[in-house]
Amino acid sequence: SNKMLVSIMLILSSILFGFSHYYNFGGSFIASMPYAFAGLVFGLMYLLSKNIWVPVIAHLLFNSTAILSSLFLVIVKLIS
């Protein structure tokens, strides 16, 4: 059925999203699991909204918090 195919593709894409971040922490399968979960959330966001920009912007906002906090720490380190 269509629901089963969508469910399988959601799980598969979530696993692939997790593996695409495998080397973020030196190649750890366990460290990839939160990324696989995030992939599941992003996939569900798309399925619920039917708009690819919803998960794309969510991913952008998630990444921007890491970038901005890192930039803040560098600025604080340079000032002190």
Side-chain angles (χ1 to χ4, degrees):
S1 77
N2 191 36
K3 283 188 177 187
M4 183 185 279
L5 181 61
V6 169
S7 298
I8 291 168
M9 295 307 292
L10 177 63
I11 292 167
L12 181 61
S13 67
S14 300
I15 291 168
L16 291 172
F17 186 83
F19 279 138
S20 73
H21 294 82
Y22 180 76
Y23 289 105
N24 284 17
F25 298 102
S28 168
F29 178 76
I30 299 298
S32 300
M33 289 300 96
Y35 291 96
F37 180 75
L40 181 68
V41 172
F42 291 147
L44 288 171
M45 291 170 91
Y46 170 74
L47 289 174
L48 292 171
S49 69
K50 300 289 188 230
N51 184 342
I52 192 63
W53 289 107
V54 173
V56 167
I57 291 170
H59 190 285
L60 177 88
L61 289 172
F62 181 83
N63 285 0
S64 68
T65 59
I67 292 167
L68 291 175
S69 60
S70 298
L71 186 61
F72 176 75
L73 290 174
V74 168
I75 291 170
V76 167
K77 184 74 174 168
L78 289 173
I79 290 172
S80 60

